[in-house]
Structures are given as C-alpha cells and as structure tokens.
C-alpha cells in the first residue's frame, strides 16, 4: 500500500470506504436516470409521440447537470475529509460522504417523481405551452392588424383594376 505521510491505517480505511460509498451514490443516480429514460420513452409511445433527438439531447443535458452536481458534492466531501479524520466523532460520521449521499438522494427522488408522473400530465404541460404560443401569435396579429388590413385593401384594388 502507498504510504502517505501522516495517515495511519484507519485513515486509509476511511478513505476507501468513502470512495466505495461515493461510487455507490453515483451508480444509484445513473440507474435512476436510466429508469426515468426507459419510462419516459414508454410514456411518449403511449401518447403516440415519437422519440426525437431533442428528447435524447435533453437526457444528455440532464446527465451532465446531475453529474456536475455530484462532482461538486464530491469536492465538498473531499474538503471535509481531513476534518472528519481528525475529529473525535463516531466512525460512521467519519466514513459517510454526507454531501454525496444527500445530493444523490435528492436526484434519485427527483427521478422517482418524474417516473411517477403520468403521461397525461406531460401532455397537459405540452398543450399549455402550445396554447401560450397560439395566444402570443394572436397578439402579434393584433399588433400588425393595420398592415394586414392595408395589404388586403391593396390586393382588392389590384383585383378590381384587373
């Protein structure tokens, strides 16, 4: 085993245990994301929507966002490592990567909520967005009504002259 000055055998055990727990947390987040992806594809098929590259692109963005959060949690756990080894606290608190576990738990719960969300709720959100786009389009038409009326009048005059 590689000797690091100032670390004894207990410190090595703490570091190894933290690494295993962090890897477990990262794997849990990955499994939760894959489950959400699977059920998301199933939901889109159930409402007759085809899977597109845009949906997969959002999944990749979510993956990058989630693992950047997990990486920051790992940084906080690493910064807390010397403090946890030197403190006279219980072994469980020394070993547990608290920030990574809390971050992973939050992300897994988010994915669980997404899986439990019904397909009709997703369809309703999409419909609400489309409705808002239609309303915005109507307001644009109202704003441009004078130019539209002028265009119609010009077309009528040209028709009458022919």
């Amino acid at each position: 085993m590689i000797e690091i000055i100032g670390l004894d055998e207990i410190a090595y055990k703490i570091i190894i245990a933290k690494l295993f727990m962090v890897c477990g947390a990262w794997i849990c987040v990955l499994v939760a994301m894959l489950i959400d992806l699977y059920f998301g594809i199933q939901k889109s098929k159930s409402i007759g929507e085809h899977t597109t590259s845009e949906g997969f692109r959002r999944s990749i963005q979510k993956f990058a966002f989630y693992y950047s959060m997990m990486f920051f949690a790992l940084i906080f756990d690493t910064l807390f490592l010397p403090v946890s080894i030197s403190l006279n606290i219980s072994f469980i608190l020394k070993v547990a990567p608290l920030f990574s576990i809390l971050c992973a738990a939050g992300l897994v719960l988010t994915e669980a909520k997404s899986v439990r969300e019904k397909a009709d709720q997703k369809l309703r959100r999409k419909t609400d967005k489309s409705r808002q786009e239609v309303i915005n389009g109507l307001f644009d038409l109202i704003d441009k009504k004078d130019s539209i009326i002028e265009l119609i009048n010009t077309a009528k005059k040209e028709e009458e002259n022919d």
Side-chain angles (χ1 to χ4, degrees):
M1 188 177 281
I2 299 173
E3 289 271 337
I4 298 177
I5 298 173
L7 290 179
D8 57 0
E9 190 174 330
I10 294 173
Y12 285 123
K13 289 180 181 178
I14 290 172
I15 292 171
I16 298 299
K18 279 192 181 216
L19 286 176
F20 277 115
M21 287 186 201
V22 167
C23 287
W26 285 50
I27 290 170
C28 286
V29 170
L30 178 63
V31 168
M33 287 174 47
L34 291 174
I35 290 171
D36 181 53
L37 178 63
Y38 172 77
F39 282 105
I41 291 170
Q42 295 303 316
K43 286 176 191 175
S44 68
K45 285 181 181 179
S46 72
I47 60 175
E49 182 180 292
H50 296 287
T51 53
T52 62
S53 62
E54 179 191 345
F56 291 118
R57 193 174 312 118
R58 281 196 323 260
S59 295
I60 291 170
Q61 288 173 343
K62 180 172 66 171
F63 177 84
F65 177 70
Y66 280 11
Y67 275 96
S68 64
M69 288 178 59
M70 292 296 292
F71 184 72
F72 280 115
L74 176 64
I75 289 173
F76 285 119
D77 286 329
T78 305
L79 292 174
F80 188 66
L81 181 66
V83 175
S84 68
I85 290 174
S86 64
L87 289 178
N88 190 16
I89 56 178
S90 72
F91 189 74
I92 297 292
L93 288 177
K94 283 183 181 182
V95 173
L98 298 175
F99 297 106
S100 292
I101 290 172
L102 289 174
C103 184
L107 295 175
V108 167
L109 289 174
T110 301
E111 292 300 300
K113 184 182 181 319
S114 176
V115 167
R116 289 176 43 113
E117 188 176 47
K118 296 181 181 170
D120 62 335
Q121 290 173 332
K122 285 191 171 201
L123 186 61
R124 187 179 318 122
R125 275 200 324 259
K126 187 179 283 189
T127 304
D128 290 345
K129 184 179 176 186
S130 298
R131 182 180 50 143
Q132 188 61 39
E133 289 174 357
V134 168
I135 291 171
N136 290 341
L138 289 174
F139 282 131
D140 288 343
L141 283 175
I142 291 171
D143 290 341
K144 298 175 184 177
K145 71 177 178 186
D146 293 332
S147 60
I148 293 172
I149 292 171
E150 183 179 317
L151 187 63
I152 291 171
N153 289 335
T154 305
K156 281 183 181 179
K157 286 180 184 178
E158 287 178 4
E159 194 175 287
E160 289 174 358
N161 291 337
D162 289 335

